[in-house]
Amino acid sequence: MTAPSAPHKVSEREARAVAEAAREQGWRKPSFAKELFLGRFRLDLIHPHPSGAPDDVQRGEAFLAKLRDFLDAEVDGARIEREARIPDEVINGLKDLGAFGMKIDTKYGGLGLTQVYYNKALQLAGSANPSIGALLSAHQSIGVPQPLKLFGTQEQKDAFLPRCARTDISAFLLTEPDVGSDPARLATAAVPSEDGSEYVLDGVKLWTTNGVVADLLVVMARVPRSEGHKGGITAFVVEADSPGITVENRNAFMGLRGIENGVTRFHQVRVPAANRIGPEGAGLKIALTTLNTGRLSLPAMCVGAGKWCLKIAREWSAAREQWGKPIAKHEAVGSKIAFIAATTFALEAVLDLSSQMADEDRNDIRIEAALAKLYGSEMAWLMADELVQIRGGRGFETAASLAARGERAVPAEQILRDLRINRIFEGSTEIMHLLIAREAVDAHLSVAGDLIDPDKSLPDKARAGAKAGGFYARWLPKLVAGPGQLPTSYGEFHPSGHPDLAVHLRYVERNARKLARSTFYAMSRWQGRMETKQGFLGRIVDIGAELFAMSASCVRAEMLRSRGENGREAYQLADAFCRQSRLRVEELFARLWANTDDPDRKVVKGVLDGAYTWLEEGIVDPSGDGPWIADATPGPARADNVHRPIR
């Protein structure tokens, strides 16, 4: 048996190659967001708004009613915050309700809910306490059920899915103390036995959400290449009580205080080969594919947060008076309320549209889901920040302190803390920018990638040049004019007596073409250096996110109007959101070419070189001693096992 490998040292190019190999390479189905980044506004892909089957709707609504009753009767969010733990009886109650099997097929004992109703359930559970939403989401969105649903064998599904549906909690283990969004450096090893019947795991995993209480783990580990073994990062289902597994620490955070997140050590842990998910080397592809829909769980809880922020802002702003009238009637506060209301409408539009498309399975939603996660996490944080500002000093005060002096216990500061992690969870905003940008320019790289690859030969570049010439000769002329320049386009979005949403869709169409032209110009200008222009790429993605949100908002408003469900009000909210969004889009376009990226890079170099250490004088640093990154050398456990399965 080969000894476990040391932490991988890889070059930047090798790291990119690993990430590229894990991507889904093809586009077998249409994608609204992909077309948007290419300058093609395919409204037909999202309008009319897709809808769920009646049976799915009935089953989903019935479960939401049961879940709401349970949350109202059994969950004390203040207690979870105070004790930094979800009570065992609450977790067991959720198990009895079937909440751990929401996405698992009924033939395995699950509820078989659609993505739409799974998200609505997370939104509801997360509003009671965000740690409950995190518990359920980590178990089903990225834990054992989803990878097995997509890649597991029938034997694996039969063995594990019934357990996940009712009794067992699962967790997903990828991150390591020195490995975050660069999986090429993954150090946890899975060494195959000589007879091939099992693998032996050694390594340390960090930030294992649900890991402290989990019964089953999805573990990503590196199989060394050897005779008969392709090797590479591979996914395994691992029993959490296997000999050699130690949960060495239960981590504590500024928010989400009730989550069971830990540090897990593997020392000579034997895993049957039958528990390997997919072939060797497919682990990252499995993880990324799982996240295509798994990422929708975070914006679901962001939508719930927006709804709560709106409720509190409305009630408080009507009750609190300043200078003789409710503060809501002062423009400085009213604009914040308008932002919260319009943005909540838009986030729900993005989430429901993406989820319905996921359920229909006729579109590729990898970009839509990533945009929903990126946009939802950023905008929810801004809404919570505005709520704290509207509440003033009471927004900064804890709910417990408010209650102690006789006022309503409104946990505004808590929601700000709880939401902050969403900009980091499951791909930080910065990583999401790069991931989405890579997908957005996929069509360009597929035809012109060899032109800007320094390792390609001259004949390769010549062939790529001919291929790119043909593509751009057909594509570029289409970016000059389109329906967005015709005053009558999208007329069905301007019904009598309603705000004009057609004008916003024409704006989206025009600016999708402008976005594509800007991307092409940047590729022509920077070529192989394009991937280093992360500020530019981030703004490109943010523009695309705004255009997607505007499109989803208009489509949702028209759907609600056609159904007779608050259509006039929905049109008002969509119109307000689009007007707010357009201001952000104009600023982002301006900043594509007029920005501080170059001087910022010089300042960063100076900071790292120590040129500005004089600026740090005049303080004391309250940080403790110790290494920046904990030692993750494989070996026996160094601490007591704090694993706490729920029974």
Side-chain angles (χ1 to χ4, degrees):
M1 185 178 295
T2 310
S5 59
H8 262 53
K9 301 293 184 183
V10 297
S11 67
E12 181 181 355
R13 190 167 188 80
E14 289 172 321
R16 289 200 306 269
V18 170
E20 186 66 17
R23 284 182 60 247
E24 289 184 77
Q25 301 294 326
W27 293 87
R28 296 179 298 277
K29 299 174 184 176
S31 165
F32 173 80
K34 175 176 176 286
E35 294 293 304
L36 196 67
F37 280 107
L38 286 171
R40 298 190 284 252
F41 181 47
R42 291 286 309 277
L43 185 62
D44 60 296
L45 293 177
I46 61 173
H47 174 68
H49 194 292
S51 58
D55 288 348
D56 291 335
V57 173
Q58 184 178 10
R59 184 167 64 252
E61 291 292 341
F63 176 72
L64 289 181
K66 293 178 182 177
L67 179 61
R68 177 182 289 276
D69 289 344
F70 174 81
L71 295 171
D72 282 339
E74 304 297 336
V75 173
D76 181 350
R79 178 187 173 189
I80 294 173
E81 178 72 3
R82 184 172 61 252
E83 297 179 357
R85 176 165 293 174
I86 302 171
D88 289 5
E89 60 269 24
V90 171
I91 296 177
N92 284 324
L94 290 168
K95 289 181 180 181
D96 293 340
L97 202 62
F100 284 87
M102 288 187 286
K103 288 194 73 178
I104 297 174
D105 195 287
T106 54
K107 66 184 177 183
Y108 300 111
L111 299 181
L113 297 187
T114 62
Q115 185 71 40
V116 168
Y117 276 96
Y118 171 65
N119 288 339
K120 289 180 182 295
L122 290 179
Q123 172 185 304
L124 185 60
S127 68
N129 186 278
S131 294
I132 295 177
L135 169 75
L136 297 174
S137 172
H139 168 73
Q140 292 169 92
S141 298
I142 56 176
V144 170
Q146 190 69 5
L148 287 191
K149 176 182 177 181
L150 297 174
F151 298 99
T153 65
Q154 190 58 54
E155 291 76 14
Q156 290 171 337
K157 294 175 182 177
D158 291 339
F160 298 118
L161 291 184
R163 293 169 57 183
C164 291
R166 290 288 176 179
T167 60
D168 289 12
I169 297 174
S170 69
F172 175 79
L173 282 64
L174 171 62
T175 305
E176 299 177 359
D178 197 25
V179 180
S181 297
D182 183 9
R185 298 173 56 245
L186 197 78
T188 297
V191 180
S193 61
E194 293 182 2
D195 63 2
S197 64
E198 61 184 9
Y199 293 81
V200 179
L201 270 60
D202 281 278
V204 179
K205 295 293 186 179
L206 177 63
W207 297 325
T208 59
T209 300
N210 288 0
V212 179
V213 296
D215 305 287
L216 290 170
L217 314 171
V218 174
V219 181
M220 297 293 165
R222 183 182 301 279
V223 177
R225 184 187 296 273
S226 62
E227 184 177 352
H229 291 277
K230 175 186 176 183
I233 298 172
T234 305
F236 300 89
V237 178
V238 182
E239 300 280 357
D241 60 357
S242 299
I245 297 181
T246 305
V247 179
E248 293 190 333
N249 192 61
R250 182 181 187 268
N251 303 323
F253 304 97
M254 67 180 284
L256 288 184
R257 290 181 175 172
I259 64 170
E260 300 289 349
N261 181 295
V263 177
T264 303
R265 177 176 294 272
F266 297 85
H267 177 59
Q268 297 288 292
V269 177
R270 297 183 176 275
V271 180
N275 285 20
R276 188 188 70 217
I277 308 174
E280 290 182 357
L284 279 186
K285 185 179 289 290
I286 289 171
L288 291 177
T289 305
T290 297
L291 283 171
N292 281 344
T293 54
R295 284 197 174 98
L296 291 174
S297 63
L298 286 185
M301 287 179 279
C302 290
V303 168
K307 289 174 178 286
W308 184 81
C309 288
L310 179 60
K311 179 180 184 294
I312 298 301
R314 173 179 58 81
E315 294 175 350
W316 167 249
S317 298
R320 172 65 165 165
E321 289 193 357
Q322 189 82 348
W323 296 314
K325 58 183 177 181
I327 61 171
K329 295 186 177 181
H330 291 284
E331 193 171 274
V333 174
S335 63
K336 297 180 187 300
I337 297 172
F339 167 73
I340 293 172
T343 305
T344 297
F345 179 83
L347 291 192
E348 188 166 38
V350 166
L351 175 68
D352 278 8
L353 178 61
S354 300
S355 300
Q356 288 283 11
M357 289 195 293
D359 286 331
E360 283 192 341
D361 200 29
R362 62 182 174 88
N363 286 350
D364 187 324
I365 67 153
R366 72 182 89 158
I367 299 182
E368 285 84 349
L371 286 173
K373 188 273 178 190
L374 167 69
Y375 197 70
S377 60
E378 289 292 327
M379 300 306 277
W381 165 258
L382 291 176
M383 288 191 289
D385 187 57
E386 293 288 42
L387 175 65
V388 168
Q389 191 70 17
I390 291 169
R391 288 275 290 161
R394 291 172 173 85
F396 193 67
E397 191 173 0
T398 68
S401 177
L402 289 165
R405 59 182 185 79
E407 291 194 2
R408 184 174 300 185
V410 178
E413 60 83 28
Q414 181 190 333
I415 198 169
L416 192 65
R417 290 186 286 102
D418 288 340
L419 283 171
R420 185 60 182 83
I421 188 57
N422 290 338
R423 298 172 63 201
I424 301 170
F425 260 169
E426 296 183 17
S428 68
T429 291
E430 294 72 25
I431 293 299
M432 296 307 296
H433 276 150
L434 299 181
L435 183 152
I436 297 168
R438 173 61 187 87
E439 299 293 357
V441 302
D442 185 55
H444 299 283
L445 294 179
S446 66
V447 298
D450 286 356
L451 277 174
I452 60 177
D453 188 336
D455 291 343
K456 294 297 181 181
S457 65
L458 286 177
D460 287 337
K461 290 180 180 291
R463 284 190 292 271
K467 184 179 179 183
F471 171 79
Y472 289 118
R474 295 187 302 272
W475 179 66
L476 287 171
K478 297 177 182 178
L479 302 182
V480 176
Q485 292 164 292
L486 300 176
T488 57
S489 295
Y490 316 116
E492 68 268 32
F493 286 86
H494 191 191
S496 177
H498 292 69
D500 184 3
L501 298 187
V503 68
H504 300 310
L505 292 178
R506 291 195 292 271
Y507 178 88
V508 172
E509 195 279 335
R510 292 194 306 273
N511 282 276
R513 287 186 281 111
K514 182 179 179 181
L515 183 64
R517 293 195 301 269
S518 300
T519 304
F520 173 75
Y521 175 68
M523 290 191 66
S524 303
R525 176 179 176 180
W526 292 313
Q527 298 185 28
R529 293 185 294 128
M530 177 79 161
E531 64 187 22
T532 69
K533 304 297 181 179
Q534 294 179 2
F536 177 90
L537 292 173
R539 294 175 200 115
I540 286 287
V541 169
D542 286 341
I543 293 169
E546 295 284 0
L547 297 180
F548 177 41
M550 290 173 67
S551 305
S553 298
C554 293
V555 169
R556 182 175 183 81
E558 174 56 21
M559 176 194 71
L560 294 175
R561 186 199 68 83
S562 67
R563 293 179 179 178
E565 301 175 7
N566 305 304
R568 193 179 306 277
E569 294 78 14
Y571 259 68
Q572 291 170 352
L573 288 167
D575 179 55
F577 172 76
C578 288
R579 291 178 185 275
Q580 295 170 10
S581 179
R582 287 169 70 156
L583 295 177
R584 294 190 291 268
V585 169
E586 293 301 317
E587 180 184 357
L588 286 164
F589 267 122
R591 289 176 57 212
L592 286 179
W593 313 111
N595 52 63
T596 62
D597 292 351
D598 288 339
D600 288 350
R601 277 191 288 271
K602 293 177 182 177
V603 170
V604 170
K605 185 178 185 303
V607 170
L608 296 180
D609 290 345
Y612 310 132
T613 53
W614 51 268
L615 191 59
E616 302 166 10
E617 295 173 2
I619 63 167
V620 293
D621 183 355
S623 306
D625 296 328
W628 287 103
I629 298 171
D631 181 21
T633 304
R638 309 169 188 177
D640 293 336
N641 191 1
V642 297
H643 183 226
R644 185 179 64 86
I646 308 298
R647 296 290 181 253

